Amino acid sequence: MNARSEPAEAAPDATARPPLVREFLLVAGLFLVYKLGRRLADGHTSDAFRDAHRVWHLERAVHLPAETDVQSALLHGDALVHLANTYYATVHFPATVAFLVWLYLRRPAHYIWARRVLALVTSAALVLTFTFPLAPPRMLSGTGLLDTARIYGPSVYGPPARDHLSNQFAAMPSLHFGWALMVAVGLIAATRSHWRWLWLLHPLVTLAVIVGTANHYWLDSIVAAALLVTALAVVHSPHRTPGTAPPSAWLLPQDTALAGPAR
């Protein structure tokens, strides 16, 4: 085989890994800016409850499934609802960190892509926090929903008036779902196992948990998914040439190292 016929493009894993300290400071800085921004956006209680009633009535008008049905399924047993509360409290952030660490070590090109997508989605979420404060359904009276974390535990939130670590009126969009969906999309894109599609269970379970525990409305997850799709369309995936990739390329980038030489 003539050496000139070898693919000119390097394998995805050959991408230079960004400096670890710089990446740690960058990701940590972005997270701190987001947390600070959410705190600065706090204090719009009346607007948050007004928007919550609007979201609730909109969902009923377009005939979305009732959040109460999902919660009723969780309430069949104390163990199940406690497990859902634990999943909500403990899986979201560690799973996303583990996802980024694995990509950084094993798929540097996909790491850079995923970090940019997550940063874009999180930045858009911060803008919505300022422009559309939203009380979660567990705070909304007249819905029949319970605050399962407060009743069954564990809970990551205290009373809103005394909770100085989080903005509980920032339900829109659901980063629990948005980040979980990106973890699944990123791992499907970065791996070749026939079992990789099972990663979609993570966002599906997350969706059931955030709705069933009354921490989010369906619409919070729909908006988060829309933000993610937009970010995936804007941020070029590894080894994608602008203007040449098919519409589905954001979900499964081509891996020339595993596909083999062209015939």
Side-chain angles (χ1 to χ4, degrees):
M1 184 182 221
N2 193 313
R4 292 185 179 179
S5 65
E6 293 291 336
E9 189 176 31
D13 293 348
T15 300
R17 187 174 292 111
L20 178 60
V21 174
R22 188 195 73 181
E23 287 302 305
F24 175 79
L25 293 175
L26 177 60
V27 173
L30 289 172
F31 179 74
L32 290 175
V33 167
Y34 174 73
K35 293 295 287 184
L36 177 61
R38 281 173 62 104
R39 290 301 304 147
L40 293 175
D42 202 357
H44 303 285
T45 304
S46 59
D47 291 342
F49 279 100
R50 181 200 63 208
D51 292 339
H53 285 287
R54 289 177 174 176
V55 167
W56 183 261
H57 292 305
L58 175 62
E59 289 187 346
R60 308 291 77 80
V62 298
H63 304 292
L64 286 177
E67 286 88 347
T68 50
D69 292 340
V70 182
Q71 186 170 94
S72 295
L74 290 182
L75 293 176
H76 279 305
D78 290 358
L80 183 59
V81 69
H82 183 81
L83 181 62
N85 292 332
T86 302
Y87 193 95
Y88 179 86
T90 63
V91 173
H92 165 60
F93 189 70
T96 308
V97 171
F99 162 69
L100 289 174
V101 169
W102 187 84
L103 287 183
Y104 179 85
L105 295 175
R106 301 295 299 274
R107 301 287 191 272
H110 287 83
Y111 164 78
I112 296 172
W113 166 65
R115 186 247 288 151
R116 289 172 177 169
V117 170
L118 284 171
L120 191 56
V121 170
T122 305
S123 299
L126 182 57
V127 173
L128 273 176
T129 299
F130 281 94
T131 59
F132 194 80
L134 182 65
R138 58 187 165 81
M139 294 183 181
L140 200 58
S141 61
T143 63
L145 290 166
L146 303 176
D147 186 346
T148 62
R150 182 179 58 83
I151 298 172
Y152 298 93
S155 176
V156 295
Y157 302 118
R162 298 200 300 268
D163 187 355
H164 302 296
L165 297 177
S166 59
N167 177 4
Q168 296 188 46
F169 300 111
M172 174 75 74
S174 169
L175 284 184
H176 268 74
F177 182 71
W179 286 11
L181 187 58
M182 182 56 202
V183 168
V185 169
L187 289 173
I188 290 170
T191 59
R192 291 295 177 182
S193 168
H194 293 299
W195 298 97
R196 67 188 183 277
W197 299 98
L198 290 177
W199 286 112
L200 289 172
L201 290 174
H202 176 44
L204 290 176
V205 171
T206 299
L207 179 59
V209 164
I210 62 177
V211 172
T213 58
N215 280 292
H216 286 284
Y217 307 89
W218 293 114
L219 194 60
D220 299 338
S221 299
I222 292 171
V223 171
L227 292 177
L228 179 61
V229 170
T230 302
L232 288 167
V234 170
V235 181
H236 299 309
S237 59
H239 302 285
R240 169 179 155 192
T241 302
T244 62
S248 61
W250 63 269
L251 185 60
L252 189 61
Q254 296 298 314
D255 189 340
T256 56
L258 297 176
R263 295 184 184 277

